[in-house]
Amino acid sequence: MKHTQQPKYIQLKREILAWLQTGRLQPNDQMPSEHEIAGRFGISRQTVRHTLGELVQEGRLYRIQGKGTFVSPAKSGGSQGGQTIAMLTTYISDYIFPHIVRGAELSLRQKGYSLLLSSTDNDKEKELVHLQTILDQPPRGLIIEPTKSALGNPNLPYFLALRAQGIPFVMINERYPEMNCPCVKVDDASGGFKATEHLIQLGHKRIAGFFKTDDLQGVNRLKGFLLALEQYHVALRPEFVVSYSTEEKNTKPFAAALDMLKRKDRPTAFVCYNDELAVKLLDAIRLVGLTVPRQLSITGFDDSSLATASEIKLTTLTHPKADLGAKATEMLLDMIAGRPDGQPQDFVYAPELVIRESTCAWP
């Protein structure tokens, strides 16, 4: 079992709930004996008895004297989820996410639905916990942004359980590769290409790229960056390509930028994963005494409020934000209504380059 930092009975309880929610144990199936569970997980029978007792009290299991413990029948009642749509994003209050949420909420309110909002903080363990809750109290449908989509999907059984329970879902910004569900997203590879192409056309040859690669958005933006260098025959400098994780976003790119800018053959331009990072790297550029854009050009991505909030207005790529949330809602409600032409197809926005003050021609 995982979650070793928690009491053993809580670890066991979560494990058993996972069996129920993912369909490994069906209603009225008999549970393994206390002895079998204790042996399987290396815990005492007393701990097992305490855990099973809690699940019986909660109505998840029931006991038959002399026969054992069994899985309770599925709850019956009115229409699944009422008029509630769940939305699970990596963040709620940071960066562009409030705009996405507002777009979804406005669209849902117009159709008489309410929004149940939660976030994973870009933590796969938290994603698991929220999926368990959603399966426990199913909504009519789910809009979800995958957590660290480039690092696999350890919570696949829970997504399969959603499908088994007939809960439709749409993914936003990206999709776990193995999932066959509609997705509303931006063409990130195209955006990475356009930003890099813009700098090349301005005469830049030493271009550094900074990309968060634990999500597929960053992977695809990096892919576009590399493709532009290749197509325009600009030499790739491995030391000018920085990949980083969510946990490193406040440290690794900044340190790498400082190191690069102290070189004699320093980059003349930066392509950044998003506007948030570009604003941080503006501080690194100032720290070494360089000016933007005369001595170094820099691009962001997402055309967020940060792009125009700083002293230097950022050249960036558009992101639909509220429109993306509204489109995902529209697709999900079509699925709930059972549209005659089957499951909706992906909807991909083409990002547009917004040229501002942070880029200029290189001599």
PDB file of all heavy atoms in Angstrom, residues 195-207 229 232-235 266-269 297 359-363:
ATOM      1  N   ALA A 195       6.429  31.471 -31.978  1.00  0.00           N
ATOM      2  CA  ALA A 195       7.261  32.341 -31.151  1.00  0.00           C
ATOM      3  C   ALA A 195       8.711  32.294 -31.623  1.00  0.00           C
ATOM      4  O   ALA A 195       9.379  33.334 -31.754  1.00  0.00           O
ATOM      5  CB  ALA A 195       7.168  31.919 -29.686  1.00  0.00           C
ATOM      6  N   THR A 196       9.200  31.097 -31.887  1.00  0.00           N
ATOM      7  CA  THR A 196      10.592  30.923 -32.307  1.00  0.00           C
ATOM      8  C   THR A 196      10.812  31.475 -33.711  1.00  0.00           C
ATOM      9  O   THR A 196      11.818  32.153 -33.986  1.00  0.00           O
ATOM     10  CB  THR A 196      10.972  29.434 -32.252  1.00  0.00           C
ATOM     11  OG1 THR A 196      10.553  28.879 -30.999  1.00  0.00           O
ATOM     12  CG2 THR A 196      12.464  29.241 -32.418  1.00  0.00           C
ATOM     13  N   GLU A 197       9.861  31.218 -34.601  1.00  0.00           N
ATOM     14  CA  GLU A 197       9.941  31.737 -35.965  1.00  0.00           C
ATOM     15  C   GLU A 197      10.013  33.265 -35.958  1.00  0.00           C
ATOM     16  O   GLU A 197      10.800  33.868 -36.711  1.00  0.00           O
ATOM     17  CB  GLU A 197       8.719  31.272 -36.754  1.00  0.00           C
ATOM     18  CG  GLU A 197       8.664  31.779 -38.180  1.00  0.00           C
ATOM     19  CD  GLU A 197       7.394  31.324 -38.877  1.00  0.00           C
ATOM     20  OE1 GLU A 197       6.290  31.580 -38.331  1.00  0.00           O
ATOM     21  OE2 GLU A 197       7.491  30.726 -39.965  1.00  0.00           O
ATOM     22  N   HIS A 198       9.206  33.876 -35.112  1.00  0.00           N
ATOM     23  CA  HIS A 198       9.205  35.343 -34.997  1.00  0.00           C
ATOM     24  C   HIS A 198      10.597  35.860 -34.646  1.00  0.00           C
ATOM     25  O   HIS A 198      11.101  36.821 -35.262  1.00  0.00           O
ATOM     26  CB  HIS A 198       8.184  35.750 -33.926  1.00  0.00           C
ATOM     27  CG  HIS A 198       8.251  37.181 -33.517  1.00  0.00           C
ATOM     28  ND1 HIS A 198       7.962  38.231 -34.369  1.00  0.00           N
ATOM     29  CD2 HIS A 198       8.572  37.752 -32.311  1.00  0.00           C
ATOM     30  CE1 HIS A 198       8.107  39.379 -33.721  1.00  0.00           C
ATOM     31  NE2 HIS A 198       8.482  39.119 -32.472  1.00  0.00           N
ATOM     32  N   LEU A 199      11.253  35.226 -33.687  1.00  0.00           N
ATOM     33  CA  LEU A 199      12.583  35.664 -33.275  1.00  0.00           C
ATOM     34  C   LEU A 199      13.620  35.430 -34.372  1.00  0.00           C
ATOM     35  O   LEU A 199      14.507  36.263 -34.602  1.00  0.00           O
ATOM     36  CB  LEU A 199      12.983  34.940 -31.991  1.00  0.00           C
ATOM     37  CG  LEU A 199      12.144  35.304 -30.759  1.00  0.00           C
ATOM     38  CD1 LEU A 199      12.418  34.323 -29.625  1.00  0.00           C
ATOM     39  CD2 LEU A 199      12.418  36.739 -30.315  1.00  0.00           C
ATOM     40  N   ILE A 200      13.506  34.306 -35.051  1.00  0.00           N
ATOM     41  CA  ILE A 200      14.435  34.015 -36.148  1.00  0.00           C
ATOM     42  C   ILE A 200      14.292  35.053 -37.262  1.00  0.00           C
ATOM     43  O   ILE A 200      15.283  35.554 -37.813  1.00  0.00           O
ATOM     44  CB  ILE A 200      14.189  32.594 -36.689  1.00  0.00           C
ATOM     45  CG1 ILE A 200      14.560  31.554 -35.625  1.00  0.00           C
ATOM     46  CG2 ILE A 200      14.980  32.353 -37.973  1.00  0.00           C
ATOM     47  CD1 ILE A 200      14.135  30.131 -35.983  1.00  0.00           C
ATOM     48  N   GLN A 201      13.050  35.400 -37.572  1.00  0.00           N
ATOM     49  CA  GLN A 201      12.814  36.380 -38.630  1.00  0.00           C
ATOM     50  C   GLN A 201      13.299  37.776 -38.239  1.00  0.00           C
ATOM     51  O   GLN A 201      13.542  38.625 -39.104  1.00  0.00           O
ATOM     52  CB  GLN A 201      11.332  36.403 -38.989  1.00  0.00           C
ATOM     53  CG  GLN A 201      10.881  35.132 -39.703  1.00  0.00           C
ATOM     54  CD  GLN A 201       9.386  35.087 -39.963  1.00  0.00           C
ATOM     55  OE1 GLN A 201       8.597  35.805 -39.333  1.00  0.00           O
ATOM     56  NE2 GLN A 201       8.970  34.226 -40.881  1.00  0.00           N
ATOM     57  N   LEU A 202      13.462  38.006 -36.939  1.00  0.00           N
ATOM     58  CA  LEU A 202      14.030  39.275 -36.464  1.00  0.00           C
ATOM     59  C   LEU A 202      15.562  39.257 -36.484  1.00  0.00           C
ATOM     60  O   LEU A 202      16.205  40.243 -36.127  1.00  0.00           O
ATOM     61  CB  LEU A 202      13.553  39.578 -35.043  1.00  0.00           C
ATOM     62  CG  LEU A 202      12.086  39.986 -34.891  1.00  0.00           C
ATOM     63  CD1 LEU A 202      11.707  40.073 -33.411  1.00  0.00           C
ATOM     64  CD2 LEU A 202      11.807  41.312 -35.585  1.00  0.00           C
ATOM     65  N   GLY A 203      16.123  38.110 -36.873  1.00  0.00           N
ATOM     66  CA  GLY A 203      17.573  38.015 -37.006  1.00  0.00           C
ATOM     67  C   GLY A 203      18.281  37.297 -35.870  1.00  0.00           C
ATOM     68  O   GLY A 203      19.515  37.203 -35.861  1.00  0.00           O
ATOM     69  N   HIS A 204      17.550  36.762 -34.910  1.00  0.00           N
ATOM     70  CA  HIS A 204      18.175  36.069 -33.777  1.00  0.00           C
ATOM     71  C   HIS A 204      18.641  34.671 -34.196  1.00  0.00           C
ATOM     72  O   HIS A 204      17.920  33.937 -34.868  1.00  0.00           O
ATOM     73  CB  HIS A 204      17.188  35.959 -32.616  1.00  0.00           C
ATOM     74  CG  HIS A 204      16.841  37.286 -32.016  1.00  0.00           C
ATOM     75  ND1 HIS A 204      17.603  37.879 -31.039  1.00  0.00           N
ATOM     76  CD2 HIS A 204      15.810  38.147 -32.274  1.00  0.00           C
ATOM     77  CE1 HIS A 204      17.053  39.041 -30.710  1.00  0.00           C
ATOM     78  NE2 HIS A 204      15.969  39.232 -31.449  1.00  0.00           N
ATOM     79  N   LYS A 205      19.852  34.327 -33.779  1.00  0.00           N
ATOM     80  CA  LYS A 205      20.414  33.004 -34.075  1.00  0.00           C
ATOM     81  C   LYS A 205      20.746  32.227 -32.804  1.00  0.00           C
ATOM     82  O   LYS A 205      20.835  30.998 -32.835  1.00  0.00           O
ATOM     83  CB  LYS A 205      21.695  33.151 -34.913  1.00  0.00           C
ATOM     84  CG  LYS A 205      21.473  33.786 -36.275  1.00  0.00           C
ATOM     85  CD  LYS A 205      20.562  32.952 -37.161  1.00  0.00           C
ATOM     86  CE  LYS A 205      20.409  33.573 -38.545  1.00  0.00           C
ATOM     87  NZ  LYS A 205      19.460  32.791 -39.395  1.00  0.00           N
ATOM     88  N   ARG A 206      20.960  32.933 -31.706  1.00  0.00           N
ATOM     89  CA  ARG A 206      21.242  32.265 -30.431  1.00  0.00           C
ATOM     90  C   ARG A 206      19.999  32.401 -29.544  1.00  0.00           C
ATOM     91  O   ARG A 206      19.835  33.390 -28.817  1.00  0.00           O
ATOM     92  CB  ARG A 206      22.483  32.865 -29.758  1.00  0.00           C
ATOM     93  CG  ARG A 206      23.756  32.725 -30.593  1.00  0.00           C
ATOM     94  CD  ARG A 206      25.017  32.976 -29.765  1.00  0.00           C
ATOM     95  NE  ARG A 206      25.041  34.278 -29.117  1.00  0.00           N
ATOM     96  CZ  ARG A 206      25.465  35.400 -29.695  1.00  0.00           C
ATOM     97  NH1 ARG A 206      25.892  35.376 -30.957  1.00  0.00           N
ATOM     98  NH2 ARG A 206      25.486  36.541 -29.021  1.00  0.00           N
ATOM     99  N   ILE A 207      19.120  31.425 -29.664  1.00  0.00           N
ATOM    100  CA  ILE A 207      17.812  31.483 -29.001  1.00  0.00           C
ATOM    101  C   ILE A 207      17.734  30.378 -27.955  1.00  0.00           C
ATOM    102  O   ILE A 207      17.973  29.202 -28.254  1.00  0.00           O
ATOM    103  CB  ILE A 207      16.664  31.308 -30.022  1.00  0.00           C
ATOM    104  CG1 ILE A 207      16.790  32.343 -31.145  1.00  0.00           C
ATOM    105  CG2 ILE A 207      15.308  31.419 -29.330  1.00  0.00           C
ATOM    106  CD1 ILE A 207      15.808  32.137 -32.283  1.00  0.00           C
ATOM    107  N   LEU A 229      13.658  25.857 -35.180  1.00  0.00           N
ATOM    108  CA  LEU A 229      15.109  25.918 -35.347  1.00  0.00           C
ATOM    109  C   LEU A 229      15.558  25.043 -36.517  1.00  0.00           C
ATOM    110  O   LEU A 229      16.397  25.448 -37.335  1.00  0.00           O
ATOM    111  CB  LEU A 229      15.807  25.468 -34.061  1.00  0.00           C
ATOM    112  CG  LEU A 229      15.624  26.335 -32.817  1.00  0.00           C
ATOM    113  CD1 LEU A 229      16.398  25.728 -31.647  1.00  0.00           C
ATOM    114  CD2 LEU A 229      16.080  27.769 -33.062  1.00  0.00           C
ATOM    115  N   TYR A 232      14.412  26.443 -40.060  1.00  0.00           N
ATOM    116  CA  TYR A 232      15.116  27.657 -40.460  1.00  0.00           C
ATOM    117  C   TYR A 232      16.640  27.491 -40.389  1.00  0.00           C
ATOM    118  O   TYR A 232      17.371  28.472 -40.530  1.00  0.00           O
ATOM    119  CB  TYR A 232      14.663  28.838 -39.599  1.00  0.00           C
ATOM    120  CG  TYR A 232      13.307  29.386 -40.008  1.00  0.00           C
ATOM    121  CD1 TYR A 232      12.147  28.890 -39.444  1.00  0.00           C
ATOM    122  CD2 TYR A 232      13.206  30.372 -40.981  1.00  0.00           C
ATOM    123  CE1 TYR A 232      10.891  29.391 -39.814  1.00  0.00           C
ATOM    124  CE2 TYR A 232      11.971  30.881 -41.368  1.00  0.00           C
ATOM    125  CZ  TYR A 232      10.819  30.376 -40.784  1.00  0.00           C
ATOM    126  OH  TYR A 232       9.591  30.872 -41.159  1.00  0.00           O
ATOM    127  N   HIS A 233      17.079  26.264 -40.173  1.00  0.00           N
ATOM    128  CA  HIS A 233      18.507  25.931 -40.169  1.00  0.00           C
ATOM    129  C   HIS A 233      19.294  26.771 -39.158  1.00  0.00           C
ATOM    130  O   HIS A 233      20.409  27.245 -39.437  1.00  0.00           O
ATOM    131  CB  HIS A 233      19.102  26.108 -41.573  1.00  0.00           C
ATOM    132  CG  HIS A 233      18.355  25.353 -42.633  1.00  0.00           C
ATOM    133  ND1 HIS A 233      18.362  23.977 -42.703  1.00  0.00           N
ATOM    134  CD2 HIS A 233      17.545  25.788 -43.635  1.00  0.00           C
ATOM    135  CE1 HIS A 233      17.601  23.589 -43.724  1.00  0.00           C
ATOM    136  NE2 HIS A 233      17.096  24.673 -44.303  1.00  0.00           N
ATOM    137  N   VAL A 234      18.690  26.966 -38.002  1.00  0.00           N
ATOM    138  CA  VAL A 234      19.368  27.653 -36.897  1.00  0.00           C
ATOM    139  C   VAL A 234      19.979  26.587 -35.998  1.00  0.00           C
ATOM    140  O   VAL A 234      19.301  25.634 -35.595  1.00  0.00           O
ATOM    141  CB  VAL A 234      18.392  28.534 -36.097  1.00  0.00           C
ATOM    142  CG1 VAL A 234      19.081  29.135 -34.874  1.00  0.00           C
ATOM    143  CG2 VAL A 234      17.827  29.640 -36.993  1.00  0.00           C
ATOM    144  N   ALA A 235      21.251  26.725 -35.686  1.00  0.00           N
ATOM    145  CA  ALA A 235      21.947  25.703 -34.912  1.00  0.00           C
ATOM    146  C   ALA A 235      21.312  25.518 -33.535  1.00  0.00           C
ATOM    147  O   ALA A 235      21.017  26.493 -32.834  1.00  0.00           O
ATOM    148  CB  ALA A 235      23.419  26.084 -34.757  1.00  0.00           C
ATOM    149  N   ARG A 266      26.359  34.622 -25.115  1.00  0.00           N
ATOM    150  CA  ARG A 266      25.043  34.483 -24.490  1.00  0.00           C
ATOM    151  C   ARG A 266      23.931  34.464 -25.548  1.00  0.00           C
ATOM    152  O   ARG A 266      24.126  34.949 -26.678  1.00  0.00           O
ATOM    153  CB  ARG A 266      24.810  35.639 -23.529  1.00  0.00           C
ATOM    154  CG  ARG A 266      24.780  37.001 -24.216  1.00  0.00           C
ATOM    155  CD  ARG A 266      24.327  38.103 -23.273  1.00  0.00           C
ATOM    156  NE  ARG A 266      24.338  39.398 -23.944  1.00  0.00           N
ATOM    157  CZ  ARG A 266      23.371  39.838 -24.729  1.00  0.00           C
ATOM    158  NH1 ARG A 266      22.327  39.062 -24.989  1.00  0.00           N
ATOM    159  NH2 ARG A 266      23.461  41.036 -25.295  1.00  0.00           N
ATOM    160  N   PRO A 267      22.750  33.945 -25.168  1.00  0.00           N
ATOM    161  CA  PRO A 267      21.603  34.025 -26.082  1.00  0.00           C
ATOM    162  C   PRO A 267      21.206  35.483 -26.315  1.00  0.00           C
ATOM    163  O   PRO A 267      21.432  36.357 -25.462  1.00  0.00           O
ATOM    164  CB  PRO A 267      20.489  33.290 -25.318  1.00  0.00           C
ATOM    165  CG  PRO A 267      21.171  32.501 -24.259  1.00  0.00           C
ATOM    166  CD  PRO A 267      22.421  33.243 -23.913  1.00  0.00           C
ATOM    167  N   THR A 268      20.607  35.718 -27.460  1.00  0.00           N
ATOM    168  CA  THR A 268      20.072  37.048 -27.747  1.00  0.00           C
ATOM    169  C   THR A 268      18.552  37.066 -27.618  1.00  0.00           C
ATOM    170  O   THR A 268      17.937  38.130 -27.767  1.00  0.00           O
ATOM    171  CB  THR A 268      20.455  37.488 -29.167  1.00  0.00           C
ATOM    172  OG1 THR A 268      19.849  36.598 -30.121  1.00  0.00           O
ATOM    173  CG2 THR A 268      21.963  37.484 -29.346  1.00  0.00           C
ATOM    174  N   ALA A 269      17.957  35.875 -27.367  1.00  0.00           N
ATOM    175  CA  ALA A 269      16.503  35.806 -27.240  1.00  0.00           C
ATOM    176  C   ALA A 269      16.109  34.606 -26.384  1.00  0.00           C
ATOM    177  O   ALA A 269      16.802  33.575 -26.380  1.00  0.00           O
ATOM    178  CB  ALA A 269      15.842  35.714 -28.613  1.00  0.00           C
ATOM    179  N   SER A 297      15.696  39.793 -26.529  1.00  0.00           N
ATOM    180  CA  SER A 297      14.264  39.686 -26.781  1.00  0.00           C
ATOM    181  C   SER A 297      13.696  38.490 -26.016  1.00  0.00           C
ATOM    182  O   SER A 297      14.412  37.502 -25.777  1.00  0.00           O
ATOM    183  CB  SER A 297      13.990  39.520 -28.282  1.00  0.00           C
ATOM    184  OG  SER A 297      14.258  40.714 -28.988  1.00  0.00           O
ATOM    185  N   THR A 359      10.221  42.220 -27.977  1.00  0.00           N
ATOM    186  CA  THR A 359      11.036  41.644 -29.061  1.00  0.00           C
ATOM    187  C   THR A 359      11.363  42.735 -30.081  1.00  0.00           C
ATOM    188  O   THR A 359      10.553  43.627 -30.366  1.00  0.00           O
ATOM    189  CB  THR A 359      10.285  40.492 -29.778  1.00  0.00           C
ATOM    190  OG1 THR A 359       8.996  40.955 -30.235  1.00  0.00           O
ATOM    191  CG2 THR A 359      10.084  39.304 -28.830  1.00  0.00           C
ATOM    192  N   CYS A 360      12.569  42.638 -30.618  1.00  0.00           N
ATOM    193  CA  CYS A 360      12.946  43.540 -31.696  1.00  0.00           C
ATOM    194  C   CYS A 360      14.057  42.900 -32.522  1.00  0.00           C
ATOM    195  O   CYS A 360      14.593  41.852 -32.151  1.00  0.00           O
ATOM    196  CB  CYS A 360      13.400  44.903 -31.160  1.00  0.00           C
ATOM    197  SG  CYS A 360      15.025  44.899 -30.352  1.00  0.00           S
ATOM    198  N   ALA A 361      14.383  43.536 -33.645  1.00  0.00           N
ATOM    199  CA  ALA A 361      15.381  42.998 -34.565  1.00  0.00           C
ATOM    200  C   ALA A 361      16.757  42.967 -33.911  1.00  0.00           C
ATOM    201  O   ALA A 361      17.117  43.874 -33.142  1.00  0.00           O
ATOM    202  CB  ALA A 361      15.413  43.808 -35.838  1.00  0.00           C
ATOM    203  N   TRP A 362      17.500  41.890 -34.232  1.00  0.00           N
ATOM    204  CA  TRP A 362      18.871  41.776 -33.750  1.00  0.00           C
ATOM    205  C   TRP A 362      19.832  42.218 -34.839  1.00  0.00           C
ATOM    206  O   TRP A 362      19.723  41.816 -35.990  1.00  0.00           O
ATOM    207  CB  TRP A 362      19.156  40.339 -33.339  1.00  0.00           C
ATOM    208  CG  TRP A 362      20.515  40.170 -32.728  1.00  0.00           C
ATOM    209  CD1 TRP A 362      21.597  39.570 -33.301  1.00  0.00           C
ATOM    210  CD2 TRP A 362      20.937  40.603 -31.440  1.00  0.00           C
ATOM    211  NE1 TRP A 362      22.670  39.617 -32.449  1.00  0.00           N
ATOM    212  CE2 TRP A 362      22.299  40.244 -31.296  1.00  0.00           C
ATOM    213  CE3 TRP A 362      20.317  41.280 -30.396  1.00  0.00           C
ATOM    214  CZ2 TRP A 362      23.021  40.549 -30.143  1.00  0.00           C
ATOM    215  CZ3 TRP A 362      21.040  41.575 -29.260  1.00  0.00           C
ATOM    216  CH2 TRP A 362      22.389  41.208 -29.138  1.00  0.00           C
ATOM    217  N   PRO A 363      20.802  43.059 -34.487  1.00  0.00           N
ATOM    218  CA  PRO A 363      21.743  43.578 -35.503  1.00  0.00           C
ATOM    219  C   PRO A 363      22.473  42.457 -36.232  1.00  0.00           C
ATOM    220  O   PRO A 363      22.833  41.467 -35.621  1.00  0.00           O
ATOM    221  CB  PRO A 363      22.717  44.422 -34.667  1.00  0.00           C
ATOM    222  CG  PRO A 363      22.015  44.693 -33.381  1.00  0.00           C
ATOM    223  CD  PRO A 363      21.066  43.561 -33.142  1.00  0.00           C
TER     224      PRO A 363
END
